[in-house]
Amino acid sequence: EILVSFLLAETSGSSFGMTVFEASSQSKAVAEVERGIASHKKGDLAAAVDHYEAALVALGVSWDSADAEIQLGKGLATSTLLSDTLHFLGAVQVQRVEQEFVSHSGDDDDDDDVERHGQNQLPTWNRQLGPDALTQLQKSIALMHAAKAALPLHETDCCKRGRLLNSTGAACFLLGPVGWSEATLELRGAVTLMPGAWAPRSNLVRVLGRLIRDANGSEKQALQLERTYLLEEMSRIRPGHPGIWYRLGMALRHAGRLEEAITALEANLNRAAKAEAIPATQSDSHDSGNRQNCNAVFKVASTKHWLAVLRGDNPATAPAEYVASLFDNYAERFEEHLVGKLQYNTPARLADALGDFGSLVSGWQRCADLGCGTGLMGPSLRSLGFRGILEGVDLSEGMLVQARGKGGP
């Protein structure tokens, strides 16, 4: 699910809170917003932006003024139409940034130990954002701030205000730690205004997960309690959602509510079994593919591993599927944590040890790196003159993807 929830299906025609459009400019603005919504639903984000900008111009808000984020919300008349237009434009711009720069490599809300004990890492996609993308995000957030300022105080649609808060909070989250405080405030407001809504709770759970990693003592406990409560709410809102019971089980485990954690993890396995059984009448190959997909989506290997641990049946080694899944999710931030924080330098030390045999290494035709991870050994071997074929072996496909860029074939 994308972070920014637009809920455009609920917005059409005269749903902007205006019963009569006396001025042609307002009629034109409504028409442009409707075209923008249609384009947005089709996935044509560039066209949607053009239409929303045209709607602002029709309302007397020039794009030059909208481009200045600090002054954007000042001096604008309040109207639901103007607020919606600003909101939709800001939200679609955020989505464009997300599509261009964001790569979601796994569920970053799992709370597996390698995440929990790791450095307070930014999401992978946030580290990829350049200055232009960050500037665009900031402008988009300014648009949504202006949308809040333009929303009339008498607006009685709490969900409309809640959706705006949710979009703002989700955009602030993309800024990284500098935006997480504001994201938390905005999303808490959205949760309050939208009692049965999944999106703001999912977004707030994600932000709280980041804050927990950098918190200590009573603050950390309070954040964990809030996050667990939200996950419990989410499990009631969408009990069939893939992964919600796993995430809840892990949160309960960290909270020390072990029996409840076992119940939640068992529920996850039950739902995985039901999902796997759905295409039972189809071909064996399709059924096999569905089984693999269910195992991945519901994190079956991880669930079984933690159930065994919680029941006191600690296995000598974790299942290969669990290890692979864990490091697939960890791959893109592995080196920053391992090398940057833990000062891992084994490849360099091995290279030093092999330095006395440089002529021998340079003559190797083939070399295998078993448990290669992200391929940290590759550059060290190349620096010693090795020009042969370097093969990496690892349980984690995500690690191998990272390794391919190091050391050549």
Side-chain angles (χ1 to χ4, degrees), residues 186-198:
E186 299 285 342
L187 292 169
R188 281 173 175 163
V191 165
T192 300
L193 291 171
M194 305 170 72
W198 173 276

Side-chain angles (χ1 to χ4, degrees), residues 139-384:
K139 291 179 179 179
S140 299
I141 292 169
L143 282 165
M144 288 186 270
H145 285 165
K148 286 191 290 183
L151 190 63
L153 294 177
H154 60 75
E155 173 60 60
T156 58
D157 186 352
C158 291
C159 286
K160 180 184 291 293
R161 194 177 297 274
R163 288 193 294 270
L164 178 50
L165 294 176
N166 178 59
S167 293
T168 309
C172 290
F173 171 70
L174 293 174
L175 290 173
V178 69
W180 290 348
S181 177
E182 181 178 353
T184 303
L185 292 175
E186 299 285 342
L187 292 169
R188 281 173 175 163
V191 165
T192 300
L193 291 171
M194 305 170 72
W198 173 276
R201 285 161 177 78
S202 178
N203 288 333
L204 183 52
V205 161
R206 193 175 298 251
V207 178
L208 293 176
R210 294 296 190 279
L211 294 176
I212 286 169
R213 295 173 196 174
D214 202 35
N216 296 294
S218 59
E219 180 189 7
K220 184 171 186 174
Q221 290 179 347
L223 292 172
Q224 287 176 327
L225 181 64
E226 181 181 4
R227 186 173 183 272
T228 303
Y229 177 76
L230 289 166
L231 286 167
E232 288 176 312
E233 281 193 316
M234 291 167 66
S235 71
R236 292 190 290 270
I237 294 170
R238 293 187 187 175
H241 185 276
I244 183 59
W245 294 100
Y246 177 79
R247 294 165 66 190
L248 176 58
M250 298 302 290
L252 291 167
R253 179 179 75 88
H254 292 317
R257 297 160 59 180
L258 303 187
E259 291 300 322
E260 293 173 89
I262 290 174
T263 299
L265 293 174
E266 287 175 339
N268 187 56
L269 289 183
N270 290 336
R271 281 159 176 79
K274 290 179 180 178
E276 180 184 325
I278 290 175
T281 59
Q282 310 219 359
S283 67
D284 291 341
S285 61
H286 183 93
D287 186 59
S288 175
N290 183 70
R291 185 180 301 110
Q292 293 176 358
N293 184 58
C294 284
N295 287 343
V297 170
F298 286 90
K299 299 188 178 291
V300 171
S302 298
T303 303
K304 290 180 177 179
H305 170 71
W306 286 113
L307 276 173
V309 171
L310 290 170
R311 290 166 175 161
D313 183 20
N314 292 325
T317 59
E321 297 91 340
Y322 167 75
V323 175
S325 174
L326 187 67
F327 282 92
D328 279 346
N329 293 338
Y330 189 32
E332 293 186 354
R333 49 192 175 275
F334 177 79
E335 289 186 22
E336 186 173 343
H337 180 213
L338 194 68
V339 179
K341 183 179 181 183
L342 300 182
Q343 303 300 310
Y344 174 76
N345 65 347
T346 298
R349 295 177 66 182
L350 282 173
D352 288 342
L354 289 169
D356 296 335
F357 307 94
S359 59
L360 178 63
V361 173
S362 64
W364 289 352
Q365 299 299 309
R366 199 178 194 95
C367 180
D369 185 355
L370 306 182
C372 66
T374 58
L376 288 170
M377 194 65 211
S380 296
L381 286 173
R382 297 303 187 197
S383 70
L384 294 174

